[in-house]
Amino acid sequence: MRSAAYSYRKFFKYPLKIWKIGKGEKSLVFSKGIEIRQIIVAVLIFGLFFLFRGSINQLLPTALQLAFYAVLPWMIAGAICRSKLDGKRLDRFFIGYFQYLYNKRFSYSSHKPVYQLQMKKAQSYERFN
């Protein structure tokens, strides 16, 4: 029995985080860490806001624009990353969803894919003795 074997399941269960930026005394340390996926989602939301900056800037006063473009995408990204979709993390949900879209035309029999057109053919059965 391999009791000394290491299980990587615990390691991959947790998201990747940035704990420290820089070296020495001038380094910026994050006590809870910043998730990489939250950074990516925040940048995407910021890009979406930036596309509509003309109409957003007309509605908001100048003092609130910095807070709108910097703080709001980060807060929305944090809420999105903490939410569970079908009991899964955001990235795992979309990976599974796109795999489903790619593989949904197949049914599997004996671990081999059966194309959907084959499934629609008329089937005949032999009489059992």
Side-chain angles (χ1 to χ4, degrees), residues 3 10 12 14 19-20 22 25 27 39 50-51 56 61 65-66 101 118 121 126:
S3 61
K10 294 178 186 176
F12 286 112
Y14 299 103
W19 297 96
K20 182 178 180 181
E25 294 180 13
S27 65
I39 294 171
F50 196 72
L51 286 175
I56 292 171
Q65 289 177 7
L66 176 64
L101 288 178
Q118 181 71 22
K121 288 185 178 180
E126 296 178 5

Side-chain angles (χ1 to χ4, degrees), residues 38-39 41-47 49-50 56-57 60 62-78:
Q38 185 176 356
I39 294 171
V41 172
V43 167
L44 291 174
I45 293 171
F46 175 77
F49 286 166
F50 196 72
I56 292 171
N57 291 344
L60 291 175
T62 307
L64 291 178
Q65 289 177 7
L66 176 64
F68 185 81
Y69 288 118
V71 177
L72 192 62
W74 185 256
M75 292 176 65
I76 293 172

Side-chain angles (χ1 to χ4, degrees), residues 15 37 81 85 88-98:
R37 62 185 173 148
C81 289
L85 300 170
K88 300 177 186 176
R89 290 186 346 209
L90 180 74
D91 50 345
R92 305 279 182 188
F93 174 78
F94 282 114
I95 288 170
Y97 179 70
F98 289 127

